[in-house]
Amino acid sequence: MKNRLAKITLATLLTASALAADSSDYRFHTSSLIGFEGGYSSMDVERNNGITAATTQNHKFSHGGIKIGAQTEEYRLFLSGRYYVIDGFDYVSTMGAEFQYMINFSSAANIFLGVNTGLASMKFTPTGETTSRTVSDPYVGADAGLNIHLGESVDFELGARVLNLQAENTKNSIVYKFDNLISAYASIIFKYQID
């Protein structure tokens, strides 16, 4: 009887301590995230054949993407994939990660500042050429914006992002250089808890 009572007491104490630990003030309050993004972007492409002066063409285009991640009260991390629709390109896409610091100035919204990195891939066939060119290079960048809380589990985000590509492709002595990819975007972000 004593052994049984000791076992019940021990089990009760262990269960209670686990529950108490779960409600501790030191526990991180985290949420899992999934977001859907749409936006408008711009990118400069320089063409240099080594003979005449280099020419630069500015492309303006739309994009869509999906991002998954997690957040605490002050930090947020996303893994993201985006597809850009650009005239004259077979495809342009990015896969990367964004790490953001959130400034919680109100219960209704916060401001975020972040850095990002990843891989940009594109394929295009220049005017007057018969073969396509491909680019697959890493990028680094920064982002900032406003995150509006529409409810407990939904945020609406307005942001701006700069990806520093510094990518180039050389073929037949003609060089194409890709500079910054600048985007303005809006996202719907759904927050949920995973136990």
Side-chain angles (χ1 to χ4, degrees), residues 71 147-151 153-157 187-189 191:
Q71 76 174 40
N147 197 40
I148 301 165
H149 310 309
L150 300 180
S153 60
V154 181
D155 285 351
F156 179 69
E157 173 184 294
S187 295
I188 292 287
I189 299 171
K191 299 183 285 189

Side-chain angles (χ1 to χ4, degrees), residues 54-92:
T55 58
T56 300
Q57 183 177 6
N58 179 261
H59 294 273
K60 297 187 185 312
F61 45 91
S62 59
H63 78 271
I66 187 169
K67 48 195 180 184
I68 58 171
Q71 76 174 40
T72 63
E73 290 183 17
E74 294 180 341
Y75 298 99
R76 188 163 67 170
L77 176 68
F78 282 115
L79 299 177
S80 61
R82 295 180 182 88
Y83 187 82
Y84 302 83
V85 181
I86 309 178
D87 287 341
F89 285 74
D90 295 322
Y91 64 81
V92 176

Side-chain angles (χ1 to χ4, degrees), residues 122 146 170 173:
M122 55 188 85
L146 175 68
T170 304
S173 300

Side-chain angles (χ1 to χ4, degrees), residues 1 3 13-14 23-24 35 40 60-61 70 73 76 89 126 143 145-147 150 159-160 177 183 187 195:
M1 183 75 170
N3 283 341
L13 287 173
L14 288 174
S23 62
S24 168
Y40 191 71
K60 297 187 185 312
F61 45 91
E73 290 183 17
R76 188 163 67 170
F89 285 74
D143 49 27
L146 175 68
N147 197 40
L150 300 180
K177 292 183 179 178
S183 300
S187 295
D195 294 329

